[in-house]
Amino acid sequence: AVLSQTYFDSPPFCADAEYMTCPALPASLQLRLFESAAAQSPSDPEVFMALGVLQHLGRQYNAAVTSFERALQLRPQVGGL
């Protein structure tokens, strides 16, 4: 399902400054959005960092490690995990 811009402009949409996640959105939707963002922006370390956080929270530990490693490859100074 594609979300309209109106959805993101309306409460309760939010973004956590540190992890770029939103508790108001279901975790499965957040994960799909960041998987899509990673596919569309394969050189953005912040996307992979956020994806790794979501995967970790979802107990997808191997996938989280892969995402964190990709973030570090793209920008080694992101390493403040």
Side-chain angles (χ1 to χ4, degrees):
V2 176
L3 297 175
S4 68
Q5 186 61 40
T6 305
Y7 180 86
F8 292 104
D9 292 338
S10 304
F13 185 76
C14 58
D16 179 288
E18 185 173 354
Y19 294 120
M20 297 181 289
T21 62
C22 179
L25 292 176
S28 61
L29 177 57
Q30 291 183 61
L31 185 58
R32 286 196 318 259
L33 290 171
F34 276 95
E35 287 170 342
S36 177
Q40 293 176 23
S41 301
S43 61
D44 187 337
E46 286 82 13
V47 169
F48 285 94
M49 183 67 79
L51 180 58
V53 168
L54 291 168
Q55 290 165 328
H56 181 266
L57 292 172
R59 298 183 179 185
Q60 298 175 13
Y61 301 119
N62 291 333
V65 168
T66 299
S67 293
F68 290 142
E69 287 175 341
R70 179 69 178 142
L72 289 171
Q73 287 173 348
L74 293 169
R75 189 180 315 150
Q77 67 270 26
V78 169
L81 295 176

